[in-house]
Every structure is written in structure tokens, then in C-alpha cells.
Amino acid sequence: MVKRMMIAGLSDSTATALYGIFSGMVIRLINIPTALALAISMSLVPAISAVKALNDMPAVRKESNNGIRYAFLIGFPCAVGMSVLSKEILAFFYEQTLTPERLDIAASLLSVSALTVVLFTVVQATSSILQGLKLQNLPMYTMIAGVTLKVIMNYILIGIPSVNIHGGPIASIVCYSVSMVPNLYFCCKHTEMAFNWKGWILKPGLSVLAMGIAVYALKWILPMGRITTLLKVTVGIFVYLFTALKIQAITSEDLRSFRRKKAA
């Protein structure tokens, strides 16, 4: 990436600094919510393997549907929240490290990179479902296809002077999209499950829309600062959960299941 930026006309020091911002700050923050995706996927493999061994297809469909739904429920708000509050979040952690100019660059990178969170979360969930069904080769092939396109797009986009480091987030979005779409198709096909657009996309999307509007409004009302950033995040979480419960994106059964796991 550094070499491609230098070919695009940036100096060695500038290219190295931009790569440091992207890999050392932006990607590090992206990795925080994606840890939740790993937690979801780790629980899906044994759960689906167990009901699959009993040839209980209704249970397989239920576990698969819930796994994908939880992935969207967690990935959507994390992605949109980090994208809308990209500058505030970066300033919260790195205000003493970044100059105003580089803070703007980092915020631009994070606002796009954050969208990979929901894609990655769903990729992890669907990969685990396919692994539980003993179809682990399928997500491997889709990820190889995604990574191949990512490498090609990184090479092309980062070498364009007007794009440079900003090609990295775009390539990541393409990578996980290429992996996610066929993964969802294979999950639906091999579990004989209908694409639950309402439970996976519409209801979480409406909850995130309400959250995004509230947080975006607070961005214009409140000044930047650590306390106000925490307030914006807190309000966003509250609005998201309130809306999700009202429109039943999160159900009472979900809450009971969470309580049982917490008690265990």
C-alpha cells in the first residue's frame, strides 16, 4: 500500500504516515466491534452441528435465522454509529496524537471502513452456519474470491493520486460484500430457509435509522469533546434499543434467551 501511494505521487513519509493512520488507528477501532462477530460465530458452530446431527431441520433453520438476525442486529448499529461519529470517536482516543488535518483524514477513512463491520459480522455468522452444516469449503471459496478482489482493487485504487489510501476501505467493502452475498445464498439453500428480509434487514435497518437521526442531530447541537461523545453514544444506544424493542426487531424471546445465558 505504501509503495502504491508513492507511485501515486506521495512522498515516503506521507505514505507511511497515512498507512499508519489506516492500519494503526482506523483498523484497530474497527476490530473492537468485530470481536462481537467472533463471539456470535463461535456459538453457532456447535449449536447447528448438534441439531444437524439429529436431522432436526426446523431447529437448524431456527438457529441459522437467529444467528444471521443477531449478526445484523449487532453489526448495523456498530457500523452506522462508528461511521456517523467517526471524527468524535477518533478524537476521543487520539486527540493528542493527530493534527487537525490528519484527524479529518482518519475520520474520512473510518466513516467508510466502519461499514465493513456489518458485512464482516454477517460473513462470520454465515461462515459458522455453513461450517456447522459440514460445508466449510463454501465460505473458504467465497472469502478467497473476496480477498482476491480486495488485493486487485487495493493495487488499482491506491495507485490513483486522487484516491490513494482511501482505496483501502473501498476494497474492504467489496471484499466482504463478495463473500457475504453467496454465503447468505448458500445458508438459505442448504437449510431450506427463506430469506428473512424483514427480520434481517428491515427491522434492524429502521432501528438504526432512528439511532442515526438522533446521533446526527446531536452532532450539530453539541460541541466535540469526550463527555459529549460519550453522551452521543449513550443516546444512540438507547434510541436503537428502544426502537428495536418497539418494532420487535429484538423480541421478548431474545431477552429471555439472553437472561438464560447470563444466568448460566
Side-chain angles (χ1 to χ4, degrees):
M1 293 176 75
V2 172
K3 289 181 178 179
R4 292 298 296 166
M5 281 188 281
M6 291 173 66
I7 289 173
L10 300 181
S11 65
D12 185 16
S13 59
T14 301
T16 302
L18 289 176
Y19 178 73
I21 290 171
F22 180 60
S23 62
M25 296 180 182
V26 173
I27 298 301
R28 184 175 295 177
L29 288 172
I30 292 296
N31 286 339
I32 296 173
T34 53
L36 294 172
L38 297 176
I40 293 174
S41 61
M42 286 176 64
S43 65
L44 278 173
V45 176
I48 291 177
S49 294
V51 290
K52 175 64 174 176
L54 298 173
N55 201 28
D56 187 351
M57 290 309 295
V60 169
R61 285 189 285 272
K62 181 180 178 181
E63 291 288 347
S64 301
N65 176 69
N66 283 337
I68 296 172
R69 187 166 60 87
Y70 292 155
F72 277 108
L73 281 170
I74 293 172
F76 258 142
C78 290
V80 173
M82 292 186 76
S83 182
V84 174
L85 294 176
S86 57
K87 191 170 185 178
E88 286 83 353
I89 291 170
L90 282 159
F92 186 91
F93 290 105
Y94 302 111
E95 187 175 17
Q96 304 301 320
T97 306
L98 293 170
T99 63
E101 180 185 358
R102 289 188 173 176
L103 177 60
D104 288 338
I105 294 172
S108 177
L109 290 169
L110 181 58
S111 65
V112 179
S113 294
L115 302 179
T116 63
V117 173
V118 63
L119 303 175
F120 177 82
T121 304
V122 177
V123 166
Q124 284 293 318
T126 51
S127 295
S128 296
I129 291 168
L130 293 170
Q131 185 177 345
L133 294 172
K134 309 299 181 186
L135 298 168
Q136 57 269 21
N137 285 344
L138 291 176
M140 180 183 70
Y141 294 145
T142 62
M143 184 53 72
I144 289 173
V147 170
T148 301
L149 275 177
K150 179 178 180 178
V151 172
I152 294 171
M153 291 195 68
N154 267 334
Y155 187 85
I156 295 172
L157 293 176
I158 294 174
I160 299 174
S162 60
V163 180
N164 59 73
I165 191 64
H166 297 280
I170 298 171
S172 294
I173 289 175
V174 171
C175 168
Y176 291 120
S177 297
V178 166
S179 182
M180 182 189 73
V181 172
N183 275 13
L184 283 170
Y185 168 76
F186 288 126
C187 283
C188 292
K189 177 183 178 181
H190 292 286
T191 61
E192 300 177 359
M193 173 177 60
F195 187 89
N196 184 8
W197 66 271
K198 189 175 181 180
W200 298 348
I201 307 294
L202 181 61
K203 288 185 176 182
L206 289 174
S207 303
V208 166
L209 178 62
M211 179 199 78
I213 292 172
V215 171
Y216 195 77
L218 287 177
K219 278 190 67 171
W220 292 103
I221 297 171
L222 299 176
M224 278 187 59
R226 288 196 167 191
I227 300 300
T228 55
T229 297
L230 290 174
L231 178 61
K232 293 168 190 174
V233 171
T234 302
V235 170
I237 293 171
F238 175 80
V239 171
Y240 176 74
L241 291 176
F242 178 81
T243 308
L245 288 168
K246 278 292 183 181
I247 65 175
Q248 294 190 318
I250 300 174
T251 65
S252 56
E253 183 181 349
D254 296 330
L255 297 177
R256 286 194 297 270
S257 176
F258 175 76
R259 291 193 190 101
R260 285 195 297 269
K261 290 177 181 178
K262 189 176 180 180

